[in-house]
Amino acid sequence: MWRAAAGCAGHVADSLPRPGERVAVVGCGTSWFVAMSYAAAREQRGLGVTDAFAGSEFPAGREYDRVIAISRSGTTTEIIEVLSAVAGRPTTLITAVGDGPAAAAASEVVELSFADERSVVQTRFATSTLALLRADLGDDVDELARQAERALRESVDDLLDAEQVTFIGRGAAVGISCEAALKTREAAQFWAESYPAMDYRHGPIAIAQPGRLVWSFGETPDGLAAEVARTGARFVHHDLDPLAGLVVAQRFALALARERGLDPDRPRSLARSVILA
């Protein structure tokens, strides 16, 4: 999926942000966390101001050169409302369904129909969208895919007796940590939190104790692993790009759900898309 998404990048480059453009990226739930990760990565590369918003919190009066909206289903009410509010400005929808109402409201559409999925819980569409966006930033997605293949072989069995997990990251990995926690809550109804790694010391570390996990994506701040060890909590880190590391967390959530007798594809109280009357 990631290699296919990267292969699309050259064909849709005119629909994606150009260097120097001031960009807003909007999404809901998982798509918001993808937006967060991309926004941080684009700014870190010096390509222009890039803000990420939950669809309901988008400041419609703020000026941007382009608004990127992410919606797997293309039917999410808040995303349609954002695109309608900025009608007349350059907008791009990234979706798995190119003929939905959100597509009708966008000036340009990037369709990743091959990455759609039956599960209510997003995994492959979200990560494929981020692979596409990172390819557009110039990242080597084939290397990311090789790391994902490694992630599929990482054992998670020895983590399943944990009673709680906190995911942390810096920069583009903050959005990844939020998404990992969401996957764990959605699929396994499990207590999972997420924080910027540097901010973790400012309060959240108080819940660390034996039987709990602190799971770090990407570069870990100096001394933090030792501080976590002193609490008795287990520090988890994989030598992988955070996007590939997310695959390990997805598999952790899946294994937890199965161990608890839950259906990870159809969690309680969730639907594929939130459509408001």
Side-chain angles (χ1 to χ4, degrees):
M1 292 292 143
W2 295 4
R3 291 182 175 110
C8 296
H11 303 293
V12 300
D14 288 344
S15 300
L16 298 176
R18 296 168 176 79
E21 283 188 334
R22 183 180 174 89
V23 175
V25 196
V26 297
C28 297
T30 287
S31 295
W32 176 32
F33 301 140
V34 169
M36 287 171 58
S37 185
Y38 168 65
R42 185 172 185 265
E43 286 208 349
Q44 285 173 338
R45 288 157 178 76
L47 294 174
V49 171
T50 317
D51 297 327
F53 299 99
S56 60
E57 304 306 312
F58 176 71
R62 191 175 298 177
E63 291 296 324
Y64 289 99
D65 299 314
R66 181 176 297 274
V67 174
I68 303 291
I70 304 171
S71 172
R72 176 181 63 173
S73 69
T75 59
T76 306
T77 297
E78 295 103 303
I79 297 305
I80 296 169
E81 290 176 347
V82 167
L83 291 170
S84 299
V86 296
R89 301 186 228 171
T91 57
T92 300
L93 172 71
I94 303 176
T95 183
V97 183
D99 58 358
S107 56
E108 299 184 65
V109 177
V110 175
E111 184 177 3
L112 303 180
S113 57
F114 60 84
D116 204 354
E117 50 207 329
R118 291 188 297 271
S119 176
V120 169
V121 176
Q122 289 194 53
T123 52
R124 71 186 194 181
F125 174 76
T127 57
S128 296
T129 296
L130 199 45
L132 167 76
L133 292 169
R134 288 190 55 177
D136 187 62
L137 295 178
D139 290 1
D140 183 351
V141 174
D142 195 56
E143 169 58 23
L144 291 176
R146 285 193 292 271
Q147 291 192 36
E149 290 166 349
R150 285 171 47 201
L152 291 171
R153 297 191 296 268
E154 287 282 349
S155 176
V156 296
D157 293 345
D158 63 334
L159 303 175
L160 300 181
D161 60 351
E163 65 179 32
Q164 186 272 340
V165 58
T166 298
F167 295 97
I168 60 174
R170 298 192 69 186
V174 173
I176 296 292
S177 67
C178 292
E179 172 58 8
L182 179 63
K183 286 286 103 41
T184 308
R185 292 191 296 266
E186 287 178 329
Q189 298 172 22
F190 189 77
W191 177 17
E193 301 182 353
S194 57
Y195 301 96
M198 286 296 290
D199 208 56
Y200 179 68
R201 295 179 174 99
H202 295 267
I205 196 171
I207 67 164
Q209 65 182 42
R212 298 178 181 177
L213 306 178
V214 178
W215 190 318
S216 176
F217 294 102
E219 183 179 353
T220 302
D222 290 343
L224 185 55
E227 289 184 46
V228 170
R230 286 195 290 273
T231 71
R234 178 174 176 182
F235 190 80
V236 179
H237 181 266
H238 300 90
D239 186 20
L240 296 166
D241 182 279
L243 182 56
L246 177 59
V247 174
V248 185
Q250 290 172 338
R251 292 179 51 244
F252 170 72
L254 176 65
L256 275 176
R258 288 175 171 166
E259 187 173 77
R260 292 172 152 219
L262 302 172
D263 182 349
D265 291 320
R266 295 169 185 82
R268 65 184 184 186
S269 305
L270 294 184
R272 173 178 163 89
S273 174
V274 175
I275 302 173
L276 304 177

